[in-house]
Each structure stands twice: as C-alpha cells, then as structure tokens.
Amino acid sequence: MSPMLNIQSLTFHRDQLPILEQLQFSLETAEVVLIQGHNGSGKTTLMKLLCGLLPRQEDFVVSMHGQPFDPNQTRDRALFHYLGHQNGLKLELTCLENLRFYQQFSGSQSGQSCQQVLEQVGLDGYQFSPASQLSAGQKKRLALARLLLTSRTLWLLDEPYSNLDLDGIALVDQLLRHQISTGGSVIMTSHGSFVPDVLPHRIIRLNHGRIEGVAQ
Amino acid sequence: MSSPLIAAMTALFNRDMRLGIRNRGELASPLLFLVLIASLFPLSIGRDPALLQQIAPGVIWVSALLASTLSLGQVFSRDYDDGTLEQLLLSPQPLAALVLAKVAAHWVTTGLLITLASPLLALGYQLPADIIPVVMISLLMGTPVLSFIGAIGVALTVGLGRGGMFLTLMVLPLTVPVLIFASSMIAAAMGGQPIEGHLLMLAAILVLSLTLAPFVIATALKIGMS
Amino acid sequence: MNRLMRWIHIKGSPENYYRLAGRLIPWFAIPGLLLLVTGIVYGLVFAPPDYQQGDAYRIIFIHVPSAWMSLFIYLGMSVAAAIALIWRIKVAELTAMACAPIGAVFTALTLLTGSLWGKPMWGTYWEWDARMTSELILLFIYLAIMGLYQAIEDRRKAARAASLLVLVGLVNIPIIHYSVQWWSTLHQGVTVLDRKMDPSMLWPLLIVAVATKLIFATNLLQRTRLLLISTESRKRWVREMAKTETPS
C-alpha cells in the first residue's frame, strides 16, 4: 500500500540560499511524525511548502495515497489542516464567535459543536470572553480547538507545543491520539530536544535544510 | 455556486462587519477624515458660495478618495498579522470569492458610510437639494471601485509593514478615471446637463473592477504571502 | 508545446541569456547611436523651420519619439510581465523590471520637452492638456512599479508583485487615457497638432523613432544582464565567469 503522504526531492531556496535540500520522507496512515531542528533549520519553510503557502520553485513530488497532492488545487486543500505560528484568532471576538466563524467558514463536518470543542480544550467558562483576554497558552488552546471542528485527515502543526503549560502539552498529546484513532496523520515541528511522552512514532532531525537522522 | 462557498463568504463578511462594529472608533475615522478634509477648503479658499459650489464636486470626491484609500491598510494587514489571512489562502474555497466578501465588508464600513454622510458635505458646500442624489449616486457607484483598486494595492504590499504613503502613491494614479467621471457627473448635473454618459462610464468601470479585481487581489495575496 | 517550453527554458536560462544578450548589445548599440546622431542633427540643423512656430517646433524630434517610447516600453514590459507571471520564467521577470526605469526616463523626458515646448506654444510651462496629463499619470504608474519592486526584499517575490502591478496598469492605461480625454474636452478645446507634415520634417522624426527603439533595446539588455548577475551572484555560472573573465 502506498503511504499516506510521500515527499520526494523537496528543495527550496530563498535569495539563492538553500533552505531545504532534497528532502525525502513519507508519512503512514495513523502516524505522527515530528520534525525537529534548531531555529532556521527549515521546519517552518517545510510546513509552508507542504500546505502551499510557499510556491514550488522546482519540481518535486508530493503524493497522497499514490495520487499527486497539490495544495494549489482547492480540492486538495480540503484534505489537511494547517496551524502556523500565528493563532489565526480575532482578538476582538469572543472564543465562541471565533469558533463559530471558523465552523461556518470551513464548512466543518466533524459533528462537534463549538461548545463541546471549547470544553475539550479546557476553555469552558470562557465562551463569552473576548480572545484578547486570554493568556498566550489559552489562545493556543483556542487555536487547537479548531482542529476538532473539522475532520481533516492530515494535520500540519507548526510548533503546537509553544506557549503551553504541562496541561496544555497533555492536551496536544490527547488531540494527537484522537487524530490517529480516527485514521488521520500528523506532521508537526518542534525546536530543541523536547519530545512528548507517547508520541510521535518517528522523529526526523532537520539541520540546515537536510535530514540529519531519523529515530523510530 | 455551491453552498459551502456561500457559507464561507457569508461567514467572512459577517465577521468583518462584526469586527467593524466592535471597533467603532475605526469605523468613524474615515468619516471624520472626510468631513475634516472637506472643511479645510472653505477655510483656506474663502466662503464665497459661488466658488464653493464650483469646487464642491472635486472636493467631495478627492476627500472620499483619500478617506477610502487611507482606511484600506487595515483590510489585509491585520489579517496578515494575526494569521487569519493564512486561513483564507488555505481554505478549500476559491480565494477570489473570499476576497470579494472581504472587499464587500470593507466597502460597507467605509464607502457606504461615506455615501450616506455625503449629503452633509453637499449642504456644507451649499449645493442645491436636487444635486444631493447625484452626489450620492456617484459615490455609491464609485466607492466600490476605490475599495477594489485599493485592495489590489494592499494585497501587493501585504506583510511589508508600510501602508499609508506608499500605498497611496501606488493606488491613486489608478483611481483617476473614477475621480474624473464621478466628479464631472456632479458638475454636469449642476450645469443642467445630462448625466447618463457619466453614469454609464462609472457603471462600466464598476463592472470591470467587480469581475477582474477579485482575481488580481487573490493573485497578489498569493505572491505577497510567499 | 512541451518541446517548445523546454527550448525556452534552455535558451532562456539565465546563463545563456546573459551570454546571448552580451553578444547582441553591439548590434543594437552601434546602429542606435549612429541613427540617433543622424536624426537629431538632421532635425535640429537641416530640417526647415516651421512657418508658424519657427525653430521652437524642433523639440518634437525628441518629444514625439519619447512619447511613443513611453507607451511602447509599457507594452513590452506588459508582455514580459505576463510571461513572467504565467510561466515563472526568471529572465522574463527581470526583463519586465529592467523596462520600468527606461520607460520612466522616456516618460519624464516627454513631460520635460513637452513643458519646454509649451512655453512658446501656449505661453506656459504646464497646460492641463490631455496628452500631457495622461503622460504624467503614466509616469506615476512607472514610479509605482519601480517603488514596489524596490520595497519587497525577496527579489523574486518583488518581481512577481511588480509584474502584477504592470498588468493592472495595462488594463488601466486605456481607461485613464480615455477618461482624461473626456475630461479635457469638458474643460477646454482639443489641442490640434495633426497637421500634414513635410517629409523633410517627417524623416528625422522617423529616424529618431527607430534610434530610440534600438537604444532602448541596448539599455534593456544591459540592465537585464546586470539584474541577472546580481540576483544569481551565488550561482556557479556567475562565480566561474567572475574567475575566468576580466571585467570589461
């Protein structure tokens, strides 16, 4: 069986400097892959390239279940959920309004209500608070709550653990377990050597745009 | 058109409207700007009613142009900063349609308000009452074009962190046709001449920008975000 | 189609383009300069004076070809910009960006000579004449394109954004032109210049018109080469060239 996501000879330059060079890896169904590396190792570039926020400069192949995967196609954009460094929240709106907007905007189909999702990320009681009143960690939780509103098979999470306390880290782990239990897969990044308890299944170490090593 | 698309566009429009209402101060500033600019002219030129009437179409339109353009910086730059612009680009819906919803929300919170406030200016410049509808129609048809052209400029400079002057320099030359047709329409009406020709030209420009601008803005955003 | 695209990509590769442009430059530069000198001397010295304007009219030998160039270059820039956006060809991006300053200079020259000519013709340096006003707005558009290209740090992104602005301007220019004409007929009589021209006046005009195109081509190739080596300065072909070739 072909893997969930297969990436071959992925290369990216910025102002002639190589940011990513000939990356090659794959992601299986119900697998969590952690991309680890220092600041400037190319993690965010890789994520943005995968989700189509950066243009492809050279020909490389990304395929999903053997089919070509191109985030520039609207059809393929419905397959994944990307969470970047910014939380994508409107601070003037309340938690509930932020989620309701996203639910309607993304045409979400996970079957969970905004209220339920808020409870799952530990923000019950905050539904009518403006997002501006939340702490950095709580904002991150609200951003993570969006993952539960849609049921996308691929999650691309850039630094999901940043700003989170121990409870928050446990929450991310719980979300990841939920995702793989439904047959979804995750690529996420983390700087430094921090490795969450149970997950991930594989760690890819990125250094100056090259894969330095893979740990199971 | 599919219904998820309509739902996404509605959600975006409603959210931006809601944000506009939450920031009432920002909602009011283009209007205050408009009135302020327009009241600088009598102060600097004099209060001769004949002179004021003669310069009124130009003054009203130049003020509207500046008020609309200067308020544009917010359309995408804030979304860029908080990451909601990424959501737009990653949505499975066509970006041009989403852009259309955003520009529509911007227009309602600036252009439409300017249009509604314009009778005040017309009265201040002692225009006859039967000219006021013409002023309003010219703004109603012209300000959406300003929003579209301005949004192109904002999209091209998104993430640069330089709005204001640079944006204005880039956008204003492109708005010359609207300025000419709209202000000469008011002048024509004041001179008792027919205004159909001007009206049709404005309509043509509006249709052109309505059909082309969303795609241009979408392309510009994709370039700007990369 | 595929073979054509491959051919374009090989021939249009920065390295090949750089060398080809270098070889072509003399073929444009030498005839261009010769024609320019011929046309200007012919126009300024040997062409007969105008029966109404005397010698003042002679500025048209610079003014009119510059005005033609200001639009011609915009069209050329638009073609390059469209190719750049559709096929993402780097050489096309840089060609479009190299066009903008040359076009701006010709537009500024048109305005300058037009205003100098306006003094004896209209008695004023600036008249809100439809053509002059259109040229003024065209100059602003050129400057906006150059400004945008400078403002964005990433060179490729800058070129693509500015190329898009070029195309937006292209759609706008006819509308601006038409609206300005409409406006000027409302406010004043149309300036009449379309008299029949004596061949002895027409010839130098045409010679200068051809000369300006050749000089534009020369300048364009030079500027594109310059942009190429500066944006590819880390590529191997530039490094090797820098080692083997002495700068000329």
Side-chain angles (χ1 to χ4, degrees):
Chain A
M1 213 183 97
S2 50
M4 154 87 191
L5 198 69
N6 194 19
I7 292 147
Q8 274 177 3
S9 56
L10 183 147
T11 301
F12 190 81
H13 297 264
R14 175 150 287 180
D15 276 333
Q16 307 180 57
L17 289 173
I19 305 290
L20 294 171
E21 281 183 281
Q22 297 286 327
L23 292 198
Q24 200 138 340
F25 65 93
S26 62
L27 177 72
E28 300 299 327
T29 303
E31 188 189 28
V32 176
V33 164
L34 176 72
I35 312 274
Q36 212 173 50
H38 301 292
N39 294 333
S41 58
K43 298 178 306 265
T44 297
T45 306
L46 170 63
M47 297 301 255
K48 288 196 167 180
L49 211 50
L50 284 179
C51 71
L53 282 176
L54 287 175
R56 293 184 183 198
Q57 293 167 334
E58 322 204 350
D59 280 338
F60 58 80
V61 183
V62 179
S63 57
M64 190 182 263
H65 295 305
Q67 301 291 320
F69 172 78
D70 179 9
N72 285 316
Q73 304 286 329
T74 49
R75 187 173 41 92
D76 288 357
R77 284 207 293 268
L79 298 172
F80 66 89
H81 188 123
Y82 167 78
L83 180 61
H85 287 271
Q86 285 111 353
N87 290 323
L89 300 171
K90 285 290 175 196
L91 298 184
E92 297 92 331
L93 301 183
T94 66
C95 295
L96 207 53
E97 281 171 335
N98 266 303
L99 288 185
R100 286 229 173 98
F101 159 73
Y102 192 77
Q103 191 174 39
Q104 200 189 351
F105 177 73
S106 62
S108 102
Q109 344 57 8
S110 77
Q112 297 213 69
S113 75
C114 297
Q115 185 68 47
Q116 285 172 324
V117 167
L118 269 181
E119 280 164 26
Q120 286 184 53
V121 298
L123 285 176
D124 42 331
Y126 286 94
Q127 51 268 55
F128 301 116
S129 313
S132 55
Q133 290 177 5
L134 301 182
S135 71
Q138 284 173 318
K139 283 176 194 151
K140 192 83 189 180
R141 283 166 183 255
L142 190 54
L144 288 166
R146 285 203 304 267
L147 289 167
L148 295 171
L149 284 177
T150 54
S151 38
R152 305 260 165 99
T153 48
L154 175 61
W155 287 359
L156 300 169
L157 311 179
D158 200 0
E159 303 277 359
Y161 293 105
S162 65
N163 288 332
L164 289 177
D165 54 12
L166 284 176
D167 281 356
I169 290 167
L171 171 72
V172 175
D173 284 350
Q174 191 191 324
L175 293 179
L176 294 178
R177 262 185 231 110
H178 168 81
Q179 170 75 345
I180 55 174
S181 72
T182 58
S185 310
V186 182
I187 299 179
M188 61 180 185
T189 65
S190 167
H191 61 269
S193 57
F194 172 75
V195 178
D197 305 345
V198 194
L199 302 156
H201 300 102
R202 253 189 314 159
I203 301 173
I204 295 177
R205 287 203 51 83
L206 210 57
N207 194 3
H208 292 295
R210 291 169 187 275
I211 293 181
E212 208 178 40
V214 180
Q216 293 292 327
Chain B
M1 269 202 241
S2 54
S3 64
L5 174 60
I6 301 288
M9 287 172 74
T10 319
L12 205 54
F13 180 83
N14 288 343
R15 187 200 65 185
D16 280 14
M17 291 302 294
R18 197 178 288 235
L19 287 171
I21 293 166
R22 294 274 153 92
N23 299 318
R24 266 179 226 103
E26 273 174 29
L27 207 59
S29 49
L31 284 181
L32 291 175
F33 184 83
L34 177 82
V35 174
L36 183 65
I37 294 281
S39 36
L40 288 180
F41 283 86
L43 292 175
S44 55
I45 294 176
R47 55 184 182 186
D48 173 21
L51 185 61
L52 288 184
Q53 277 193 11
Q54 207 192 339
I55 62 166
V59 169
I60 293 175
W61 256 91
V62 170
S63 321
L65 193 60
L66 292 177
S68 168
T69 312
L70 288 175
S71 71
L72 265 163
Q74 316 159 5
V75 184
F76 294 117
S77 64
R78 229 177 256 173
D79 292 24
Y80 176 83
D81 292 338
D82 62 24
T84 47
L85 197 53
E86 278 178 356
Q87 283 172 9
L88 247 60
L89 267 85
L90 295 177
S91 155
Q93 308 303 335
L95 185 57
L98 302 178
V99 159
L100 187 63
K102 273 200 78 72
V103 175
H106 172 262
W107 176 73
V108 171
T109 50
T110 55
L112 186 60
L113 289 184
I114 289 173
T115 307
L116 294 175
S118 61
L120 278 179
L121 299 190
L123 289 175
Y125 276 83
Q126 308 184 9
L127 292 183
D130 56 332
I131 299 297
I132 292 179
V134 180
V135 172
M136 292 184 76
I137 290 172
S138 79
L139 287 166
L140 197 64
M141 302 194 51
T143 46
V145 181
L146 301 183
S147 290
F148 277 121
I149 295 178
I152 294 176
V154 182
L156 283 171
T157 51
V158 74
L160 286 189
R162 16 168 134 184
M165 193 62 87
F166 183 64
L167 178 69
T168 318
L169 286 177
M170 197 164 68
V171 165
L172 286 187
L174 303 175
T175 59
V176 166
V178 183
L179 178 71
I180 287 176
F181 289 121
S183 57
S184 60
M185 179 166 115
I186 304 173
M190 284 163 62
Q193 287 159 346
I195 56 166
E196 282 81 6
H198 303 79
L199 204 56
L200 287 176
M201 289 310 298
L202 277 182
I205 295 176
L206 178 58
V207 170
L208 186 73
S209 51
L210 191 66
T211 44
L212 286 185
F215 296 99
V216 177
I217 299 167
T219 310
L221 281 179
K222 278 183 200 154
I223 295 172
M225 289 292 284
S226 61
Chain C
M1 188 61 206
N2 222 335
R3 206 196 283 167
L4 177 71
M5 284 311 290
R6 204 179 311 142
W7 184 81
I8 290 175
H9 271 285
I10 293 168
K11 288 289 166 193
S13 81
E15 185 179 0
N16 276 327
Y17 188 89
Y18 183 87
R19 295 191 192 289
L20 181 69
R23 275 201 297 274
L24 283 178
I25 282 172
W27 294 93
F28 290 113
I30 295 164
L33 276 176
L34 288 176
L35 281 176
L36 187 69
V37 172
T38 317
I40 296 280
V41 171
Y42 189 167
L44 295 190
V45 182
F46 296 107
D50 186 74
Y51 72 97
Q52 273 183 337
Q53 302 175 35
D55 281 331
Y57 90 99
R58 289 183 198 277
I59 204 157
I60 65 161
F61 297 119
I62 298 169
H63 177 72
V64 174
S66 302
W68 285 341
M69 286 313 286
S70 65
L71 277 177
F72 177 83
I73 294 175
Y74 202 96
L75 285 180
M77 180 167 69
S78 307
V79 172
I83 294 174
L85 286 174
I86 298 169
W87 288 296
R88 294 173 181 250
I89 296 174
K90 190 165 187 177
V91 169
E93 287 169 11
L94 297 181
T95 303
M97 291 306 106
C99 282
I102 315 175
V105 166
F106 274 112
T107 314
L109 199 60
T110 309
L111 285 169
L112 185 73
T113 51
S115 110
L116 287 178
W117 191 20
K119 190 64 184 167
M121 277 267 290
W122 296 316
T124 165
Y125 284 114
W126 184 261
E127 174 72 37
W128 287 96
D129 159 74
R131 294 178 216 210
M132 292 287 276
T133 312
S134 296
E135 282 289 316
L136 181 65
I137 298 168
L138 182 63
L139 179 63
F140 282 128
I141 295 178
Y142 270 122
L143 293 178
I145 292 163
M146 289 161 64
L148 185 64
Y149 183 57
Q150 292 307 322
I152 302 176
E153 204 160 321
D154 184 302
R155 295 331 284 152
R156 288 214 76 171
K157 190 171 144 184
R160 291 175 61 72
S163 293
L164 190 63
L165 187 60
V166 170
L167 295 186
V168 173
L170 181 71
V171 175
N172 243 277
I173 284 170
I175 306 175
I176 292 173
H177 187 74
Y178 180 76
S179 68
V180 169
Q181 236 157 20
W182 164 302
W183 160 82
S184 79
T185 51
L186 284 179
H187 293 266
Q188 61 168 61
V190 185
T191 347
V192 184
L193 264 178
D194 305 314
R195 283 181 289 132
K196 267 247 183 294
M197 229 181 200
D198 192 80
S200 59
M201 296 181 183
L202 192 60
W203 270 113
L205 195 60
L206 291 178
I207 294 173
V208 179
V210 174
T212 47
K213 300 230 169 16
L214 293 173
I215 285 168
F216 160 64
T218 311
N219 200 324
L220 177 66
L221 292 174
Q222 289 277 29
R223 280 173 184 275
T224 314
R225 268 162 62 99
L226 199 62
L227 287 175
L228 268 174
I229 47 169
S230 65
T231 53
E232 300 249 309
S233 56
R234 288 178 220 252
K235 292 275 168 70
R236 210 173 55 191
W237 68 271
V238 180
R239 291 172 173 220
E240 278 174 9
M241 193 177 66
K243 265 183 238 153
T244 53
E245 286 177 28
T246 47
S248 53

